Amino acid sequence: MSLRLPIAALLLFLSLQGAFWYNTHTRLPEMGIVPDVPGETTLKALSFGDEEALFRLLALNIQNAGDTFGRFTALYKYDFERLYHWFVALDKLDNQSNYIPAMATYYFSQTQYAPDVKYIVDYLEQFADGRVKDKWWWMVQAVYLADHKLKDSGRALEIANKLAGHTEIPIWAQQMPAFVHEKRGEFDAAGAIIQNIMDSEQQLPQGELNFMRHFVDERIKALDKIKAEFDATKREEALRARGIEPKAAPQAPPPDVGAAKAPM
């Protein structure tokens, strides 16, 4: 049997394959980063009765979204609003798992585009809201991200206030609103929150009591200092109104105080 025909066919197909590669090797498929979010009914149908299995499968897909087929995508390129809806959708399959809030807090919050962190903050607050006793950790993370990543102390305080009064969570977590107030310079509010915790019926360790007494004392000193400065300013204004220039307080010891001068 002659081999001419098979060899000719082989060369023909190799040529066609080479021509196809030459014309298409620069064209990359359009692959999205975050896929579209399915509806709740679709998720229920896709689970075939095993919602936990579907939850784990989809959560893993979201974790790896954008980093498939040899790609490595920077986080600032992600659609965080769509990620937020994915997180909420997955919680409908399993709202007890800490997988999604952990992925949101420790991975996606590291985006180079800080404004996107607001979607993470919103999700964490929503995840823990109404069940602070069990999910307080994620509420604390929302406070931290709002304060340090978003630089939005008002939003941080709004979330931190949801931790106040929950005596079943760690004391330092109950104190979060005080720390935010402290950072905003609202010493009276910060001291009042700590005092309320001290006055509660909780069994507080001696170390915590020592810290809180010190915290309240320091805030009272700070308020006294501010009040003294305010009163001094008002007195100076009153003197100037009467045409009297107030004397500046001495900033150094008198010149005749100190070591004796060396003889000339």
Side-chain angles (χ1 to χ4, degrees), residues 144-160:
Y144 171 80
L145 292 174
D147 198 18
H148 294 273
K149 289 276 187 177
L150 292 178
K151 310 295 183 186
D152 187 347
S153 63
R155 182 76 173 108
L157 182 59
E158 179 186 350
I159 302 171

Side-chain angles (χ1 to χ4, degrees), residues 93-250:
L93 296 175
D94 182 352
N95 70 345
Q96 295 302 314
S97 173
N98 292 319
Y99 182 11
I100 302 302
M103 179 168 52
T105 300
Y106 303 130
Y107 179 57
F108 286 111
S109 72
Q110 304 306 309
T111 176
Q112 300 87 348
Y113 185 60
D116 275 342
V117 176
K118 74 183 184 68
Y119 295 105
I120 304 297
V121 171
D122 290 347
Y123 166 69
L124 293 175
E125 180 191 17
Q126 181 177 336
F127 179 79
D129 203 13
R131 48 179 181 166
V132 173
K133 178 182 177 182
D134 297 321
K135 301 298 182 183
W136 58 270
W137 177 256
W138 305 117
M139 194 73 86
V140 170
Q141 299 304 313
V143 175
Y144 171 80
L145 292 174
D147 198 18
H148 294 273
K149 289 276 187 177
L150 292 178
K151 310 295 183 186
D152 187 347
S153 63
R155 182 76 173 108
L157 182 59
E158 179 186 350
I159 302 171
N161 283 332
K162 295 185 176 182
L163 294 164
H166 288 276
T167 57
E168 66 278 9
I169 66 176
I171 296 169
W172 65 265
Q174 300 175 44
Q175 296 168 345
M176 289 296 286
F179 299 147
V180 179
H181 277 300
E182 163 79 7
K183 190 175 179 182
R184 289 159 58 98
E186 299 163 351
F187 302 130
D188 52 343
I193 290 171
I194 297 296
Q195 188 65 55
N196 286 339
I197 296 174
M198 291 177 65
D199 294 340
S200 67
E201 297 179 354
Q202 300 180 71
Q203 295 294 324
L204 302 174
Q206 188 60 45
E208 285 289 347
L209 283 172
N210 292 342
F211 164 74
M212 288 190 281
R213 288 196 184 100
H214 175 76
F215 186 94
V216 172
D217 291 344
E218 289 298 311
R219 294 324 54 83
I220 292 175
K221 290 179 183 177
L223 286 172
D224 289 344
K225 182 180 179 183
I226 292 172
K227 184 176 183 303
E229 292 175 354
F230 178 77
D231 290 342
T233 302
K234 297 295 288 184
R235 285 195 296 271
E236 290 178 3
E237 290 177 353
L239 289 173
R240 288 193 179 95
R242 293 162 53 191
I244 303 172
E245 187 62 27
K247 295 180 180 179

Side-chain angles (χ1 to χ4, degrees), residues 44-138:
K44 296 287 185 184
L46 288 174
S47 70
F48 293 103
D50 192 344
E51 296 184 357
E52 188 60 30
L54 183 63
F55 167 80
R56 298 185 184 197
L57 175 64
L58 293 178
L60 188 62
N61 287 342
I62 291 301
Q63 178 181 325
N64 294 318
D67 294 335
T68 53
F69 302 104
R71 295 180 300 162
F72 296 96
T73 307
L75 289 174
Y76 74 88
K77 295 181 179 178
Y78 284 64
D79 184 338
F80 272 70
E81 183 176 4
R82 190 175 292 179
L83 276 177
Y84 165 82
H85 289 295
W86 262 111
F87 297 156
V88 173
L90 290 173
D91 281 346
K92 290 175 182 173
L93 296 175
D94 182 352
N95 70 345
Q96 295 302 314
S97 173
N98 292 319
Y99 182 11
I100 302 302
M103 179 168 52
T105 300
Y106 303 130
Y107 179 57
F108 286 111
S109 72
Q110 304 306 309
T111 176
Q112 300 87 348
Y113 185 60
D116 275 342
V117 176
K118 74 183 184 68
Y119 295 105
I120 304 297
V121 171
D122 290 347
Y123 166 69
L124 293 175
E125 180 191 17
Q126 181 177 336
F127 179 79
D129 203 13
R131 48 179 181 166
V132 173
K133 178 182 177 182
D134 297 321
K135 301 298 182 183
W136 58 270
W137 177 256
W138 305 117

